[in-house]
Amino acid sequence: MSLAEVSRTGRLANDKMANDKMALETAAVTRLLVAQGILDYSGHVSTRIPGKDAFIIQTGSNSRAELTPETMLVVDYDGKVLEGEGQPPSELPIHIEILRARPDVQSVLHSHMELAIAFTMMEGVKLLPMRARASRWKSGIPTDPDPSHIKTPEQGRALAKTLAHHHAALMRAHGLVLVAESMQALFIDAVHFKENATAQMQALQAGARPLPLTDAEIEQIEKMEMRDWHIKKLWNYYVRKGATEDVLPSEWKDALVPTKEMLKRDRIIN
């Protein structure tokens, strides 16, 4: 075997290991989102494969609560299945068009969270940053007007246009999309998105006028923010909790839990 062939074989092996890790994380995130009531029988997450015009996503028919790396697909931006068995979700254009439009985004969630949908069905009420971690959505949370399933490229492009530079968008009477820089970050953002929506709904149900975070408050919050460490800390908690409660197979734990070195905080603020 030539040196070039050895090098190519090594790269292919490394690529496979990286893809396997992303498939595992995508399956784990999906299961954890089900446990948090953010996904159920429907909805899906995707993650971009770096250096390849493709992404990982589950099949459309497999239970979100039982996904494994083996049930994940590798799909290209034409919707063609490159690896895996089965058909992708019918709303695949959501992921294709958002990933195309947003090269800064690594992972995408589409959920039919009932709490989020409620904010698309109240006149004069917008979902706003209420809690500290909701500073993530300081640029706004727009609502896409299409209430139907997003099954065509045209619909997917329209949704991506609504999302624009934001990190979240609601979908009229339908659901939401969230985007983030990693699969772990996507999961933590989803947890905080639900917390924030719950806080605003509680204020509304109490008959009070919600008081969202001000620009000055958001600026102060972001001065103290350590997003990378916060994500690792919460990911460590939810993975361990998921393994203890049989949401995740125990044998996944070692591959998913951050190391002690990764969890070390070497500063107070950025």
PDB file of all heavy atoms in Angstrom, residues 141-162:
ATOM      1  N   ILE A 141     -37.657  36.492  17.946  1.00  0.00           N
ATOM      2  CA  ILE A 141     -38.156  35.151  17.614  1.00  0.00           C
ATOM      3  C   ILE A 141     -39.303  35.351  16.617  1.00  0.00           C
ATOM      4  O   ILE A 141     -40.463  35.492  16.999  1.00  0.00           O
ATOM      5  CB  ILE A 141     -38.654  34.390  18.857  1.00  0.00           C
ATOM      6  CG1 ILE A 141     -37.548  34.332  19.922  1.00  0.00           C
ATOM      7  CG2 ILE A 141     -39.105  32.976  18.478  1.00  0.00           C
ATOM      8  CD1 ILE A 141     -38.003  33.776  21.257  1.00  0.00           C
ATOM      9  N   PRO A 142     -39.000  35.406  15.327  1.00  0.00           N
ATOM     10  CA  PRO A 142     -40.044  35.656  14.331  1.00  0.00           C
ATOM     11  C   PRO A 142     -40.978  34.464  14.171  1.00  0.00           C
ATOM     12  O   PRO A 142     -40.652  33.344  14.580  1.00  0.00           O
ATOM     13  CB  PRO A 142     -39.254  35.910  13.049  1.00  0.00           C
ATOM     14  CG  PRO A 142     -37.987  35.127  13.245  1.00  0.00           C
ATOM     15  CD  PRO A 142     -37.676  35.232  14.714  1.00  0.00           C
ATOM     16  N   THR A 143     -42.129  34.701  13.575  1.00  0.00           N
ATOM     17  CA  THR A 143     -43.101  33.642  13.299  1.00  0.00           C
ATOM     18  C   THR A 143     -43.291  33.483  11.799  1.00  0.00           C
ATOM     19  O   THR A 143     -43.611  34.458  11.099  1.00  0.00           O
ATOM     20  CB  THR A 143     -44.457  33.947  13.951  1.00  0.00           C
ATOM     21  OG1 THR A 143     -44.301  34.004  15.373  1.00  0.00           O
ATOM     22  CG2 THR A 143     -45.485  32.865  13.616  1.00  0.00           C
ATOM     23  N   ASP A 144     -43.084  32.283  11.304  1.00  0.00           N
ATOM     24  CA  ASP A 144     -43.345  31.989   9.896  1.00  0.00           C
ATOM     25  C   ASP A 144     -44.841  31.784   9.707  1.00  0.00           C
ATOM     26  O   ASP A 144     -45.472  31.077  10.498  1.00  0.00           O
ATOM     27  CB  ASP A 144     -42.583  30.739   9.465  1.00  0.00           C
ATOM     28  CG  ASP A 144     -42.630  30.538   7.968  1.00  0.00           C
ATOM     29  OD1 ASP A 144     -41.894  31.268   7.263  1.00  0.00           O
ATOM     30  OD2 ASP A 144     -43.388  29.671   7.503  1.00  0.00           O
ATOM     31  N   PRO A 145     -45.455  32.382   8.676  1.00  0.00           N
ATOM     32  CA  PRO A 145     -46.912  32.343   8.543  1.00  0.00           C
ATOM     33  C   PRO A 145     -47.494  31.036   8.011  1.00  0.00           C
ATOM     34  O   PRO A 145     -48.709  30.838   8.066  1.00  0.00           O
ATOM     35  CB  PRO A 145     -47.197  33.491   7.566  1.00  0.00           C
ATOM     36  CG  PRO A 145     -45.968  33.582   6.727  1.00  0.00           C
ATOM     37  CD  PRO A 145     -44.834  33.255   7.662  1.00  0.00           C
ATOM     38  N   ASP A 146     -46.658  30.130   7.503  1.00  0.00           N
ATOM     39  CA  ASP A 146     -47.160  28.898   6.890  1.00  0.00           C
ATOM     40  C   ASP A 146     -47.481  27.873   7.974  1.00  0.00           C
ATOM     41  O   ASP A 146     -46.582  27.366   8.641  1.00  0.00           O
ATOM     42  CB  ASP A 146     -46.103  28.342   5.936  1.00  0.00           C
ATOM     43  CG  ASP A 146     -46.602  27.154   5.124  1.00  0.00           C
ATOM     44  OD1 ASP A 146     -47.668  26.596   5.455  1.00  0.00           O
ATOM     45  OD2 ASP A 146     -45.922  26.772   4.152  1.00  0.00           O
ATOM     46  N   PRO A 147     -48.778  27.508   8.160  1.00  0.00           N
ATOM     47  CA  PRO A 147     -49.141  26.558   9.213  1.00  0.00           C
ATOM     48  C   PRO A 147     -49.079  25.103   8.774  1.00  0.00           C
ATOM     49  O   PRO A 147     -49.304  24.200   9.584  1.00  0.00           O
ATOM     50  CB  PRO A 147     -50.585  26.951   9.541  1.00  0.00           C
ATOM     51  CG  PRO A 147     -51.127  27.382   8.203  1.00  0.00           C
ATOM     52  CD  PRO A 147     -49.972  28.059   7.482  1.00  0.00           C
ATOM     53  N   SER A 148     -48.780  24.859   7.501  1.00  0.00           N
ATOM     54  CA  SER A 148     -48.803  23.487   6.986  1.00  0.00           C
ATOM     55  C   SER A 148     -47.465  22.789   7.177  1.00  0.00           C
ATOM     56  O   SER A 148     -46.483  23.405   7.607  1.00  0.00           O
ATOM     57  CB  SER A 148     -49.169  23.497   5.499  1.00  0.00           C
ATOM     58  OG  SER A 148     -48.176  24.173   4.747  1.00  0.00           O
ATOM     59  N   HIS A 149     -47.412  21.511   6.857  1.00  0.00           N
ATOM     60  CA  HIS A 149     -46.152  20.792   6.893  1.00  0.00           C
ATOM     61  C   HIS A 149     -45.228  21.353   5.819  1.00  0.00           C
ATOM     62  O   HIS A 149     -45.646  21.667   4.711  1.00  0.00           O
ATOM     63  CB  HIS A 149     -46.388  19.301   6.658  1.00  0.00           C
ATOM     64  CG  HIS A 149     -46.854  18.584   7.882  1.00  0.00           C
ATOM     65  ND1 HIS A 149     -47.053  17.237   7.922  1.00  0.00           N
ATOM     66  CD2 HIS A 149     -47.156  19.037   9.126  1.00  0.00           C
ATOM     67  CE1 HIS A 149     -47.456  16.873   9.127  1.00  0.00           C
ATOM     68  NE2 HIS A 149     -47.527  17.959   9.870  1.00  0.00           N
ATOM     69  N   ILE A 150     -43.956  21.467   6.155  1.00  0.00           N
ATOM     70  CA  ILE A 150     -42.974  22.038   5.237  1.00  0.00           C
ATOM     71  C   ILE A 150     -42.370  20.895   4.420  1.00  0.00           C
ATOM     72  O   ILE A 150     -41.432  20.229   4.857  1.00  0.00           O
ATOM     73  CB  ILE A 150     -41.880  22.803   6.009  1.00  0.00           C
ATOM     74  CG1 ILE A 150     -42.514  23.796   6.973  1.00  0.00           C
ATOM     75  CG2 ILE A 150     -40.926  23.485   5.040  1.00  0.00           C
ATOM     76  CD1 ILE A 150     -43.403  24.833   6.326  1.00  0.00           C
ATOM     77  N   LYS A 151     -42.925  20.686   3.231  1.00  0.00           N
ATOM     78  CA  LYS A 151     -42.542  19.515   2.437  1.00  0.00           C
ATOM     79  C   LYS A 151     -41.915  19.853   1.098  1.00  0.00           C
ATOM     80  O   LYS A 151     -41.466  18.949   0.378  1.00  0.00           O
ATOM     81  CB  LYS A 151     -43.763  18.620   2.217  1.00  0.00           C
ATOM     82  CG  LYS A 151     -44.284  17.988   3.508  1.00  0.00           C
ATOM     83  CD  LYS A 151     -45.429  17.040   3.234  1.00  0.00           C
ATOM     84  CE  LYS A 151     -45.886  16.350   4.519  1.00  0.00           C
ATOM     85  NZ  LYS A 151     -47.003  15.403   4.286  1.00  0.00           N
ATOM     86  N   THR A 152     -41.866  21.130   0.732  1.00  0.00           N
ATOM     87  CA  THR A 152     -41.290  21.506  -0.550  1.00  0.00           C
ATOM     88  C   THR A 152     -40.076  22.414  -0.333  1.00  0.00           C
ATOM     89  O   THR A 152     -39.981  23.102   0.698  1.00  0.00           O
ATOM     90  CB  THR A 152     -42.307  22.259  -1.427  1.00  0.00           C
ATOM     91  OG1 THR A 152     -42.559  23.559  -0.858  1.00  0.00           O
ATOM     92  CG2 THR A 152     -43.613  21.481  -1.534  1.00  0.00           C
ATOM     93  N   PRO A 153     -39.161  22.438  -1.314  1.00  0.00           N
ATOM     94  CA  PRO A 153     -38.013  23.351  -1.197  1.00  0.00           C
ATOM     95  C   PRO A 153     -38.440  24.808  -1.049  1.00  0.00           C
ATOM     96  O   PRO A 153     -37.799  25.576  -0.309  1.00  0.00           O
ATOM     97  CB  PRO A 153     -37.244  23.117  -2.497  1.00  0.00           C
ATOM     98  CG  PRO A 153     -37.606  21.728  -2.915  1.00  0.00           C
ATOM     99  CD  PRO A 153     -39.035  21.566  -2.498  1.00  0.00           C
ATOM    100  N   GLU A 154     -39.513  25.192  -1.724  1.00  0.00           N
ATOM    101  CA  GLU A 154     -39.987  26.575  -1.646  1.00  0.00           C
ATOM    102  C   GLU A 154     -40.418  26.921  -0.226  1.00  0.00           C
ATOM    103  O   GLU A 154     -40.102  28.006   0.292  1.00  0.00           O
ATOM    104  CB  GLU A 154     -41.138  26.795  -2.629  1.00  0.00           C
ATOM    105  CG  GLU A 154     -40.765  26.716  -4.093  1.00  0.00           C
ATOM    106  CD  GLU A 154     -40.556  25.296  -4.598  1.00  0.00           C
ATOM    107  OE1 GLU A 154     -41.021  24.346  -3.923  1.00  0.00           O
ATOM    108  OE2 GLU A 154     -39.907  25.136  -5.658  1.00  0.00           O
ATOM    109  N   GLN A 155     -41.131  26.008   0.417  1.00  0.00           N
ATOM    110  CA  GLN A 155     -41.532  26.226   1.810  1.00  0.00           C
ATOM    111  C   GLN A 155     -40.320  26.281   2.730  1.00  0.00           C
ATOM    112  O   GLN A 155     -40.250  27.106   3.642  1.00  0.00           O
ATOM    113  CB  GLN A 155     -42.458  25.101   2.270  1.00  0.00           C
ATOM    114  CG  GLN A 155     -43.864  25.122   1.694  1.00  0.00           C
ATOM    115  CD  GLN A 155     -44.642  23.916   2.191  1.00  0.00           C
ATOM    116  OE1 GLN A 155     -44.260  22.770   1.935  1.00  0.00           O
ATOM    117  NE2 GLN A 155     -45.714  24.175   2.919  1.00  0.00           N
ATOM    118  N   GLY A 156     -39.359  25.402   2.495  1.00  0.00           N
ATOM    119  CA  GLY A 156     -38.157  25.381   3.312  1.00  0.00           C
ATOM    120  C   GLY A 156     -37.374  26.675   3.186  1.00  0.00           C
ATOM    121  O   GLY A 156     -36.884  27.219   4.179  1.00  0.00           O
ATOM    122  N   ARG A 157     -37.276  27.198   1.967  1.00  0.00           N
ATOM    123  CA  ARG A 157     -36.560  28.459   1.757  1.00  0.00           C
ATOM    124  C   ARG A 157     -37.287  29.626   2.411  1.00  0.00           C
ATOM    125  O   ARG A 157     -36.656  30.535   2.961  1.00  0.00           O
ATOM    126  CB  ARG A 157     -36.366  28.708   0.260  1.00  0.00           C
ATOM    127  CG  ARG A 157     -35.301  27.823  -0.374  1.00  0.00           C
ATOM    128  CD  ARG A 157     -34.919  28.291  -1.756  1.00  0.00           C
ATOM    129  NE  ARG A 157     -35.977  28.042  -2.734  1.00  0.00           N
ATOM    130  CZ  ARG A 157     -36.087  26.932  -3.443  1.00  0.00           C
ATOM    131  NH1 ARG A 157     -35.214  25.941  -3.289  1.00  0.00           N
ATOM    132  NH2 ARG A 157     -37.057  26.790  -4.329  1.00  0.00           N
ATOM    133  N   ALA A 158     -38.618  29.587   2.373  1.00  0.00           N
ATOM    134  CA  ALA A 158     -39.399  30.647   3.019  1.00  0.00           C
ATOM    135  C   ALA A 158     -39.187  30.630   4.529  1.00  0.00           C
ATOM    136  O   ALA A 158     -39.045  31.685   5.166  1.00  0.00           O
ATOM    137  CB  ALA A 158     -40.882  30.492   2.688  1.00  0.00           C
ATOM    138  N   LEU A 159     -39.151  29.439   5.108  1.00  0.00           N
ATOM    139  CA  LEU A 159     -38.908  29.323   6.548  1.00  0.00           C
ATOM    140  C   LEU A 159     -37.500  29.799   6.896  1.00  0.00           C
ATOM    141  O   LEU A 159     -37.303  30.522   7.886  1.00  0.00           O
ATOM    142  CB  LEU A 159     -39.104  27.873   6.999  1.00  0.00           C
ATOM    143  CG  LEU A 159     -38.793  27.562   8.467  1.00  0.00           C
ATOM    144  CD1 LEU A 159     -39.631  28.426   9.410  1.00  0.00           C
ATOM    145  CD2 LEU A 159     -39.026  26.079   8.757  1.00  0.00           C
ATOM    146  N   ALA A 160     -36.516  29.416   6.077  1.00  0.00           N
ATOM    147  CA  ALA A 160     -35.141  29.867   6.310  1.00  0.00           C
ATOM    148  C   ALA A 160     -35.046  31.383   6.208  1.00  0.00           C
ATOM    149  O   ALA A 160     -34.291  32.015   6.957  1.00  0.00           O
ATOM    150  CB  ALA A 160     -34.194  29.204   5.309  1.00  0.00           C
ATOM    151  N   LYS A 161     -35.827  31.974   5.322  1.00  0.00           N
ATOM    152  CA  LYS A 161     -35.846  33.439   5.185  1.00  0.00           C
ATOM    153  C   LYS A 161     -36.462  34.082   6.420  1.00  0.00           C
ATOM    154  O   LYS A 161     -36.004  35.133   6.895  1.00  0.00           O
ATOM    155  CB  LYS A 161     -36.616  33.845   3.931  1.00  0.00           C
ATOM    156  CG  LYS A 161     -36.573  35.335   3.635  1.00  0.00           C
ATOM    157  CD  LYS A 161     -37.267  35.660   2.321  1.00  0.00           C
ATOM    158  CE  LYS A 161     -37.218  37.163   2.033  1.00  0.00           C
ATOM    159  NZ  LYS A 161     -37.895  37.490   0.751  1.00  0.00           N
ATOM    160  N   THR A 162     -37.506  33.467   6.966  1.00  0.00           N
ATOM    161  CA  THR A 162     -38.106  33.976   8.206  1.00  0.00           C
ATOM    162  C   THR A 162     -37.110  33.881   9.356  1.00  0.00           C
ATOM    163  O   THR A 162     -36.945  34.816  10.140  1.00  0.00           O
ATOM    164  CB  THR A 162     -39.369  33.178   8.559  1.00  0.00           C
ATOM    165  OG1 THR A 162     -40.368  33.388   7.539  1.00  0.00           O
ATOM    166  CG2 THR A 162     -39.950  33.629   9.898  1.00  0.00           C
TER     167      THR A 162
END
